[in-house]
Amino acid sequence: MSAVTTPVLDMRARFYADLGPLLDAHPDVDVVLAVIGSGQMAPVTARHPGRVIDVGIREQAMIGVAGGLALAGRRPIVHTYAPFLVERPYEQLKLDLGHQDVGAVLVSIGSSFDASAEGRTHQAPADVALVSALPGWTVHVPGHADEVTALLQAEAATDRRVYLRLSRQRNAQPQPTDGRVHLVRDVASGLDGAGHAPLVLAVGPMLDTVLAASADLPVRVAYTATPHPLDAETLRALAGPQPVLTVVEPYLEGTSAAAVAAALADRPARVQHVGVPRDVELRRYGTPRDHAAAHGLDAAGVRRRIAALLDPP
Amino acid sequence: MTTTPLAPETLEHLVARVTGDEKHDASAHSTLDVVRVLYDRVLRVDPDRPDDPHRDRFLLSKGHGPASTYAVLAAHGFFPAAWLDDVAARDSPLGHHPDRVLVPGIEIGSGSLGHGLPLAVGTALGLRGRSPGRVVVLVGDAELDEGSNAEAIQIAARLGLGNLTCVVVDNHSDSHGWPGGIAARFAVEGWTTTDVDTRSDDRLATALRRTEPDRPTAVVVDTTRRGARPAAEMTA
């Protein structure tokens, strides 16, 4: 055995690595799969017979089974690609979990355009909008594998309905996972903007892109790993009495618009939302980096949007 | 722990309080014999302890016909019979589709078809090895059209869920028929199946009590084969 353990930085690999200790620590936790992840979890399955349930390629049954497990007092963790976890069994999320008033932790991979080379069938940039349209859900969008570990451990001990969205994009440093909005970078000294300078809120893995995009702009940068429910209290305090705010999310543009509007309803605010465009299906393969650039979600694209709000034509 | 048997005519009266005397709710009535026999003779449930972790679970998947289940639960004391008189009123816990959060003894909220059987599979998995309780889910023959049931039928058998029973109330209302019969769909996947009708409570109870240790059981109840009950059962 090597004395030095290299931390797993890929979120998906971290999730699989975390599951063994998690099942040891939480006797009420079961894992429900639809093939995806089954191979990687074989050691966990062998160690905990009956507690990793692979239902085959049956995503409706996957969520229904999770709902039934929760009705029987279990704490299900459900995992597959985002489109097959959220979109295909969406009514099961609504009824088998929400309407039954039971919880589960849904852990997705393949966020937005992670699966750029796979095409539209494996992409679900509307996932957070869909989940947050249902009552009683918490949505975590971690930006670092350490955040994945912290969120998974915390939520295994609750009975809430949780969507934990893993991504191949990640930030260099972990941030807090307490559900709040945190100021990450104030206005650089020498730049104009004491007090309530314009604010950019980066969600999850967009943080490093936002930091790079705005390094020479007179804005403050805040972060949250939990866009839903949004920490309105901190957002209001940071945004100030006359907010100039850019929200940068790695999924469908404007997903948090209603929550932000509600938080700032009592003040004159200029707010723009940056994310995956709503109106066009990008019929291109290539890398996630290619897709980020095409969507305006690379540093250059995000910088253009932030700058445009600061200096309207 | 099974509660006191009920006279069928008392139940018919309770159902009528839900549906109205002049309105015949075929969907509710097709399930009445099954639900009555389940609560009279089969399920181990206690209205004073509706959350007992070791109770048997009855999941009404065919939620568009809840009147018979409401009537049976009221008759067994899960909630006051007065609740039956204003179903779907603003302040009534009872609606045209049942909500488990609002009604003691209702195990799942249902109405949209094809959700009960997958939920039952998960519940049976969660209880297996941890509770003596068994899970009985009631679906309709038309409800089986929903593909989610096919997923659940397959996986329940592969997982060897001996604590799961699926009752298919067959009133021949499905749109395109089931060539070879409904039971065959379960049997080919590894379920133990029984075909029965509603003319004999004894035969129905026997079918509903049957379990196998290593596989789920399906009971297909043809509710269209009416006829005289055995005389000895008329007042049972």
Side-chain angles (χ1 to χ4, degrees):
Chain A
M1 290 276 299
S2 165
V4 179
T5 306
T6 306
V8 178
L9 291 179
D10 177 77
M11 291 189 202
R12 180 182 184 182
R14 177 71 72 89
F15 168 59
Y16 295 149
D18 284 346
L19 274 176
L22 197 77
L23 264 63
D24 287 337
H26 297 275
D28 60 333
V29 168
D30 292 327
V31 179
V32 188
L33 305 173
V35 177
I36 303 294
S38 193
Q40 293 92 329
M41 286 185 209
V44 181
T45 308
R47 183 180 168 91
H48 298 281
R51 291 180 60 192
V52 179
I53 302 140
D54 179 358
V55 301
I57 307 170
R58 297 179 176 90
E59 286 89 4
Q60 295 183 78
M62 175 181 66
I63 303 296
V65 163
L69 285 167
L71 284 168
R74 308 294 294 166
R75 179 59 167 158
I77 294 176
V78 192
H79 168 66
T80 189
Y81 268 88
F84 318 133
L85 186 58
V86 174
E87 293 175 325
R88 190 175 187 115
Y90 188 60
E91 197 194 42
Q92 276 75 16
L93 266 63
K94 171 189 165 192
L95 297 181
D96 299 354
L97 297 171
H99 184 50
Q100 308 309 329
D101 195 26
V102 295
V105 184
L106 273 50
V107 182
S108 74
I109 53 172
S111 74
S112 289
F113 42 83
D114 275 2
S116 53
E118 317 305 322
R120 174 66 174 170
T121 58
H122 284 56
Q123 299 163 11
D127 57 348
V128 176
L130 290 167
V131 173
S132 59
L134 299 172
W137 284 82
T138 298
V139 178
H140 298 302
V141 183
H144 189 279
D146 288 359
E147 297 169 41
V148 173
T149 296
L151 289 164
L152 198 60
Q153 287 178 349
E155 295 294 5
T158 76
D159 60 0
R160 303 195 295 182
R161 289 188 286 282
V162 176
Y163 182 57
L164 177 58
R165 186 184 201 265
L166 310 189
S167 175
R168 283 171 63 190
Q169 296 185 79
R170 57 179 188 254
N171 305 316
Q173 299 298 325
Q175 300 294 329
T177 54
D178 55 2
R180 308 303 297 259
V181 171
H182 293 269
L183 189 65
V184 175
R185 191 184 70 197
D186 212 332
V187 175
S189 60
L191 289 174
D192 179 33
H196 294 107
L199 185 69
V200 182
L201 174 62
V203 176
M206 291 311 299
L207 177 60
D208 280 3
T209 300
V210 166
L211 289 171
S214 61
D216 61 343
L217 295 175
V219 297
R220 295 165 299 145
V221 175
Y223 176 80
T224 189
T226 305
H228 180 79
L230 184 67
D231 173 15
E233 180 188 9
T234 305
L235 182 67
R236 288 162 56 85
L238 288 175
Q242 293 185 304
V244 177
L245 172 66
T246 301
V247 179
V248 183
E249 301 177 286
Y251 35 79
L252 201 66
E253 187 159 293
T255 294
S256 293
V260 170
L264 305 178
D266 63 344
R267 58 199 71 188
R270 289 173 50 223
V271 180
Q272 69 172 343
H273 293 269
V274 178
V276 177
R278 284 177 174 258
D279 299 333
V280 181
E281 177 184 331
L282 180 62
R283 293 183 185 273
R284 289 285 184 276
Y285 298 101
T287 65
R289 186 184 295 261
D290 295 330
H291 277 233
H295 292 317
L297 287 174
D298 59 350
V302 171
R303 188 186 191 287
R304 277 194 299 276
R305 296 288 298 275
I306 295 172
L309 188 69
L310 299 181
D311 297 308
Chain B
M1 203 155 63
T2 300
T3 45
T4 314
L6 302 164
E9 57 270 25
T10 305
L11 266 180
E12 294 281 358
H13 176 68
L14 290 173
V15 172
R17 285 171 70 171
V18 178
T19 60
D21 285 333
E22 68 287 342
K23 183 183 160 206
H24 182 74
D25 186 337
S27 164
H29 286 272
S30 71
T31 64
L32 181 59
D33 289 320
V34 172
V35 180
R36 174 177 56 80
V37 169
L38 275 171
Y39 279 84
D40 280 358
R41 302 190 179 198
V42 180
L43 298 174
R44 292 169 304 148
V45 293
D46 182 350
D48 295 325
R49 301 174 64 204
D51 296 323
D52 181 350
H54 294 323
R55 72 190 182 280
D56 289 342
R57 270 79 164 173
F58 172 65
L59 278 58
L60 179 69
S61 185
K62 204 177 84 148
H64 59 283
S68 57
T69 300
Y70 288 159
V72 169
L73 289 176
H76 282 281
F78 280 88
F79 52 79
W83 288 15
L84 302 174
D85 296 325
D86 63 347
V87 168
R90 193 194 66 172
D91 294 326
S92 172
L94 308 183
H96 291 156
H97 301 112
D99 184 338
R100 68 174 289 272
V101 174
L102 301 178
V103 189
I106 290 289
E107 297 284 359
I108 58 168
S110 58
S112 178
L113 297 174
H115 290 266
L117 187 47
L119 283 168
V121 170
T123 304
L125 265 173
L127 296 179
R128 181 164 69 172
R130 302 184 180 96
S131 163
R134 61 185 286 222
V135 180
V136 179
V137 57
L138 188 153
V139 304
D141 61 307
E143 180 180 11
L144 283 179
D145 290 358
E146 294 284 3
S148 53
N149 291 303
E151 295 186 3
I153 289 168
Q154 293 153 11
I155 197 64
R158 301 303 187 286
L159 294 171
L161 292 175
N163 58 348
L164 174 66
T165 297
C166 180
V167 185
V168 183
V169 169
D170 184 6
N171 56 9
H172 301 280
S173 61
D174 58 297
S175 300
H176 295 284
W178 296 106
I182 289 172
R185 261 107 194 135
F186 289 84
V188 75
E189 299 292 350
W191 294 56
T192 291
T193 68
T194 307
D195 280 290
V196 68
D197 59 42
T198 55
R199 288 177 293 186
S200 161
D201 283 3
D202 289 341
R203 286 200 293 268
L204 192 53
T206 300
L208 293 170
R209 284 197 197 105
R210 179 180 181 185
T211 60
E212 302 285 345
D214 62 342
R215 62 191 57 206
T217 46
V219 182
V220 180
V221 186
D222 190 328
T223 60
T224 64
R225 257 183 272 151
R226 294 272 173 190
R229 289 169 181 279
E233 292 187 27
M234 284 302 287
T235 56

